[in-house]
Amino acid sequence: MVAFSQTPWSRYRVRSISLPARSHPSTIRVEQQLAKLRSLDSSSFSSIEAICSSLSGLVELYRCINEVLNLPLPQQALAVLRGEIWVQELVDNSVRFLDICDNTRDAILVIKESIRDLQSAIRRSKYEDSGVENSITSYICSRKRIKHESLKKSITSLRQTDYTAGASPPLQIENEVTAAVIRVLREASSVTSSIFNSLLSFLAVPMNRRPKPSRWTLVSRLVQKGAITRNNHTERINELVNLDMAIDRLQLESLNRDGEAKEKIQSMIRERLQGLDWSIERIERGTEGLFRELIHTRVCLLNILSQ
């Protein structure tokens, strides 16, 4: 199982982060958006709704940051320190976040396609037919593959970001404008790392399955997951885990050869797949929007430092 580090958002926190040119609306919105994202409870990021909200906030944050980076004072402040470690850290993070976002987009696309394949198979046939069995196997394999390929690379990159941030020397800049710009960009990086951690943790939920599980293996797994004893509380669980539990129950009913029970479980799976498909699309839109803003941020930084 992959272990995720939790980025402490207080790592870069200072008593006051006041950007220059406060009369400009973009500078005020950056501070407001950072305050919103800092107030989010990272322990609640186990649902798609919470993740979508955080992604939306992150997109707006970078949109405002990009507007600020086009202002003369911030540009001058960063240009003066183009050779300093604090500025290089920001440039390096811009590359890492772009790569992480791109890998995450690829993983989401694979999940979405496997969900739709499973939807089609369940609509077309009953569980006895190989179509559904093959689609379930394909879905499980896709989840495992993205966890160990795309998501693993992103997790490693995030750890490097966290390590670099922890090893970075204290900010010692006399110019108030320059210090404020660096501080706010570093805190944006900290918040971004934390939200990516939550998103990757959600997508990489464990998939510990055997190709042909026995009846008692399935019963044991369902009890451990709470699908039998706590079925009324499944809405509080990661939506991907909810779907896993429904698939486990379908496999159990297949072993019982109870046609009516299987039809009920298939109906449940169809409902959860439909909701999950819509939710994954929302995450996809969020990561697409974030990717565009991150590209803009990197271009702004490179343009400023090349002056």
Side-chain angles (χ1 to χ4, degrees):
M1 178 176 177
V2 179
F4 292 86
S5 62
Q6 292 298 320
T7 305
W9 293 6
S10 60
R11 175 174 292 158
Y12 300 132
R13 198 165 301 169
V14 292
R15 293 180 182 176
S16 174
I17 297 181
S18 299
L19 285 169
R22 289 182 61 88
S23 59
H24 195 284
S26 298
T27 64
I28 298 173
R29 290 201 300 271
V30 167
E31 295 177 24
Q32 291 173 339
Q33 202 59 43
L34 273 173
K36 279 185 185 179
L37 290 171
R38 284 197 303 266
S39 69
L40 294 177
D41 180 8
S42 61
S43 64
S44 68
F45 288 170
S46 59
S47 71
I48 286 178
E49 188 63 39
I51 289 172
C52 288
S53 296
S54 64
L55 282 174
S56 177
L58 206 54
V59 170
E60 183 60 27
L61 171 63
Y62 276 96
R63 185 176 293 126
C64 296
I65 285 175
N66 292 333
E67 291 176 1
V68 169
L69 290 176
N70 284 316
L71 297 176
L73 280 178
Q75 288 181 352
Q76 294 168 14
L78 289 174
V80 168
L81 294 179
R82 60 169 58 89
E84 296 292 338
I85 188 173
W86 306 296
V87 175
Q88 188 57 50
E89 177 187 302
L90 296 174
V91 174
D92 291 344
N93 283 347
S94 71
V95 177
R96 289 196 187 105
F97 290 147
L98 267 175
D99 288 343
I100 291 169
C101 195
D102 195 32
N103 288 335
T104 304
R105 290 161 68 218
D106 291 342
I108 290 171
L109 181 61
V110 172
I111 291 176
K112 186 175 74 170
E113 289 176 349
S114 61
I115 286 173
R116 292 185 175 179
D117 287 344
L118 187 52
Q119 278 181 299
S120 297
I122 290 179
R123 280 197 301 265
R124 289 194 308 267
S125 62
K126 295 182 180 180
Y127 183 66
E128 290 90 335
D129 296 339
S130 61
V132 176
E133 292 186 57
N134 291 339
S135 294
I136 287 176
T137 300
S138 176
Y139 170 75
I140 294 169
C141 290
S142 295
R143 289 267 304 278
K144 286 182 176 180
R145 187 175 69 254
I146 63 170
K147 176 181 175 181
H148 293 294
E149 293 178 6
S150 299
L151 299 183
K152 187 175 182 179
K153 294 178 183 177
S154 297
I155 294 162
T156 301
S157 185
L158 274 180
R159 287 175 177 165
Q160 180 60 39
T161 302
D162 295 345
Y163 173 80
T164 302
S168 182
L171 194 61
Q172 296 177 340
I173 302 174
E174 292 184 3
N175 186 285
E176 189 175 326
V177 171
T178 305
V181 172
I182 298 294
R183 283 170 182 159
V184 77
L185 291 175
R186 291 175 82 181
E187 180 153 357
S189 292
S190 178
V191 170
T192 303
S193 181
S194 184
I195 291 175
F196 270 133
N197 261 309
S198 299
L199 174 57
L200 296 176
S201 181
F202 177 89
L203 294 174
V205 63
M207 291 286 296
N208 298 317
R209 298 175 179 276
R210 297 174 183 174
K212 294 182 179 180
S214 68
R215 181 177 186 276
W216 293 112
T217 299
L218 285 165
V219 171
S220 174
R221 188 187 299 155
L222 286 165
V223 171
Q224 289 174 3
K225 289 183 177 180
I228 293 176
T229 59
R230 301 191 304 278
N231 192 48
N232 292 333
H233 300 287
T234 56
E235 69 279 359
R236 300 178 186 175
I237 303 174
N238 177 318
E239 286 89 340
L240 290 169
V241 175
N242 266 339
L243 177 59
D244 295 345
M245 291 191 297
I247 290 173
D248 279 345
R249 293 181 67 183
L250 180 59
Q251 290 179 308
L252 177 60
E253 296 304 337
S254 176
L255 293 173
N256 288 336
R257 300 189 179 281
D258 185 337
E260 183 178 350
K262 281 187 291 187
E263 178 55 37
K264 288 181 180 179
I265 299 300
Q266 283 185 343
S267 178
M268 179 195 302
I269 290 178
R270 283 194 293 269
E271 181 180 342
R272 291 185 182 178
L273 281 169
Q274 184 177 1
L276 187 57
D277 183 30
W278 180 73
S279 297
I280 290 294
E281 275 203 356
R282 291 178 62 200
I283 292 181
E284 184 179 35
R285 288 195 297 269
T287 54
E288 288 288 345
L290 180 57
F291 187 73
R292 288 193 296 270
E293 295 302 328
L294 289 172
I295 289 177
H296 192 180
T297 301
R298 176 154 176 77
V299 170
C300 286
L301 287 172
L302 293 178
N303 286 341
I304 291 170
L305 299 180
S306 64
Q307 293 176 2

